Amino acid sequence: MAAAKLPPAVLEVLFSYLDISDLRNCSLVCKNWYRYLNDENNDVWRFHCVRKLAEEALKSDLLKNVPTYKSKLRAFYHAWNPDDCSKNIYVKANGFTVHRNPVAQSTDGARGKIGFKSGRHCWEVWWEGPLGTVAVIGLATKDSPIQCHGYVGLLGSNDQSWGWNLVDNHLLHNGDSQGNYPTVNNAPKYQVGERIRVILDCEDNTLAFEKNYEFLGVAFRGLPNTPLYPSVSAVYGNTEISMVYLGPPLDG
């Protein structure tokens, strides 16, 4: 096959001008193309990364835990959805951080671009401003509301969302507290800037969290077989929350 004999310089030009969606099909053409595209740090992925991602995101430590160009692109495609946020929230220019405007008596949420119903997935979430009285991270379906009146645990307020309130360490679902989390005495409170890893296992239908590389245990079991989206809800004016998709958990 002639395609298999194309030199790397030609492949670089060819793949750099194709859409990201076409590259997966290209990797199936032959072993040579697969091998080339499997290098997550080559110039093709660098080109697409620079073209899609904001310079601010690439130059800051925002993406420090997704070291390759391909993994940074993957994180971008899984980042906050600017069309699926409360009207009081917007996605900043870096593409990975949401900002909540200072609106009184409102709880405001945001969801990621891609929902999951199969496989195992891990992403990081961290607050870059005050938490206020309620600051919740977790999951939601598309049917869960993204804004409500008052200062409440919006994420976890119904049967379509599951959340962990970082302020009081309570799990929330269906409008009720599901107990303390993690289940240890005197669990330390969340500190602004700490990156929390959210671990969704769609095969076991569980949601768990990890902080400072310590697994905190399973928070929710029996999750439904429907697309579940990375989500947060916030109440504090001008606070900011970042989210970076990491891929499958490191334990396999």
Side-chain angles (χ1 to χ4, degrees):
M1 179 190 299
K5 299 178 181 179
L6 292 174
V10 174
L11 292 179
E12 178 184 331
V13 174
L14 172 65
F15 294 150
S16 293
Y17 286 95
L18 291 176
D19 288 332
I20 293 289
S21 58
D22 295 325
L23 293 183
R24 184 179 183 279
N25 291 331
C26 288
S27 70
L28 303 176
V29 170
C30 63
K31 289 182 179 179
N32 188 40
W33 286 24
Y34 174 83
R35 192 180 305 113
Y36 187 86
L37 290 171
N38 203 41
D39 176 2
E40 297 197 355
N41 248 341
N42 66 27
D43 285 341
V44 168
W45 295 117
R46 181 186 62 80
F47 177 83
H48 284 286
C49 203
V50 170
R51 187 166 64 176
K52 283 285 184 185
L53 273 67
E55 184 178 5
E56 174 191 347
L58 291 173
K59 288 190 172 182
S60 70
D61 68 351
L62 187 70
L63 303 177
K64 66 181 182 181
N65 290 331
V66 279
T68 68
Y69 289 121
K70 187 177 180 180
S71 63
K72 293 181 198 298
L73 268 170
R74 187 185 300 117
F76 173 77
Y77 283 105
H78 285 81
W80 299 122
N81 186 347
D83 297 319
D84 199 10
C85 296
S86 162
K87 62 182 179 180
N88 300 320
I89 279 181
Y90 66 87
V91 179
K92 296 182 66 177
N94 68 23
F96 296 90
T97 305
V98 290
H99 179 103
R100 183 192 178 272
N101 289 323
V103 178
Q105 291 301 316
S106 180
T107 301
D108 304 286
R111 276 188 285 258
K113 296 172 185 170
I114 296 178
F116 309 111
K117 62 181 297 186
S118 63
R120 302 176 74 230
H121 306 273
C122 181
W123 58 94
E124 293 180 323
V125 180
W126 65 100
W127 248 254
E128 298 187 67
L131 276 64
T133 54
V134 190
V136 189
I137 63 173
L139 295 170
T141 70
K142 277 289 189 182
D143 294 326
S144 183
I146 53 175
Q147 192 274 333
C148 72
H149 179 75
Y151 302 131
V152 300
L154 175 61
L155 194 62
S157 64
N158 52 60
D159 63 355
Q160 299 295 308
S161 59
W162 300 259
W164 175 23
N165 183 7
L166 301 177
V167 176
D168 62 11
N169 281 338
H170 281 182
L171 296 176
L172 304 173
H173 177 60
N174 216 12
D176 293 319
S177 170
Q178 306 294 307
N180 292 329
Y181 183 87
T183 55
V184 296
N185 292 328
N186 301 316
K189 292 295 180 67
Y190 177 80
Q191 301 298 313
V192 171
E194 283 184 316
R195 296 192 181 208
I196 292 179
R197 292 194 174 186
V198 186
I199 303 166
L200 171 64
D201 189 330
C202 296
E203 310 310 317
D204 286 342
N205 303 101
T206 59
L207 177 66
F209 299 93
E210 182 181 280
K211 186 169 71 168
N212 298 326
Y213 301 101
E214 178 186 354
F215 184 70
L216 302 179
V218 172
F220 293 100
R221 300 181 187 275
L223 298 173
N225 293 313
T226 190
L228 299 170
Y229 294 78
S231 304
V232 294
S233 66
V235 299
Y236 200 91
N238 292 323
T239 200
E240 296 184 341
I241 309 138
S242 295
M243 187 259 288
V244 174
Y245 179 78
L246 302 176
L250 291 179
D251 64 358

